[in-house]
Amino acid sequence: TGLAYCNVVEGCQEAYDLRRSQEWTAALTRWCDGQPDLVPYAGQCLVHRSEISQLHGDWARALDEATRACDRLAGRPAIANAYYQLAEVHRLRGEFTEAEQAYRRVGEFGRQPQPGLALL
């Protein structure tokens, strides 16, 4: 179920369908809240919520959600996605030192930090 939710959210984002992405992220959040032991999905859910907040211009909430995702996903492969989102929010907020540090962490966890690092 978690994979299905995540795949639909990612598909909505790829299609730039913000409304559906937001709806599916909310549904994923409700599902994750009912199953707190599913750490990887709950962490990825926080990443999606951060992305939605970022798109709505709520950068403070986006930063909070991304930070929580990094904490929640510590030691798991998906942490690279959390650090990428954290870096993106810092970059958009003009916090360039923090953004660069987070992009470097992305690389440490095996994900390419591009295009964000190049945009920085």
Side-chain angles (χ1 to χ4, degrees):
T1 302
L3 281 174
Y5 274 123
C6 281
N7 286 334
V8 170
V9 169
E10 289 171 8
C12 292
Q13 289 174 335
E14 287 175 14
Y16 299 103
D17 190 339
L18 179 58
R19 183 184 58 79
R20 283 198 177 102
S21 181
Q22 187 171 353
E23 289 172 1
W24 279 94
T25 298
L28 176 61
T29 299
R30 288 190 299 274
W31 182 78
C32 287
D33 288 348
Q35 307 192 43
D37 294 335
L38 296 176
V39 173
Y41 293 114
Q44 190 59 42
C45 179
L46 290 168
V47 172
H48 291 313
R49 287 173 23 192
S50 176
E51 292 166 343
I52 295 297
S53 295
Q54 174 189 324
L55 290 170
H56 281 286
D58 189 350
W59 291 351
R61 182 171 181 192
L63 182 62
D64 181 55
E65 300 286 12
T67 301
R68 289 179 47 214
C70 290
D71 293 342
R72 185 97 189 214
L73 290 170
R76 302 188 185 281
I79 194 167
N81 294 334
Y83 273 109
Y84 188 86
Q85 178 58 23
L86 180 65
E88 287 288 278
V89 176
H90 279 307
R91 179 179 62 80
L92 292 171
R93 290 170 48 116
E95 300 162 350
F96 302 130
T97 301
E98 294 87 346
E100 183 176 0
Q101 291 170 349
Y103 284 126
R104 301 254 178 252
R105 297 296 314 262
V106 170
E108 291 171 16
F109 291 109
R111 177 179 167 177
Q112 288 294 318
Q114 305 303 340
L117 186 58
L119 292 170
L120 180 64

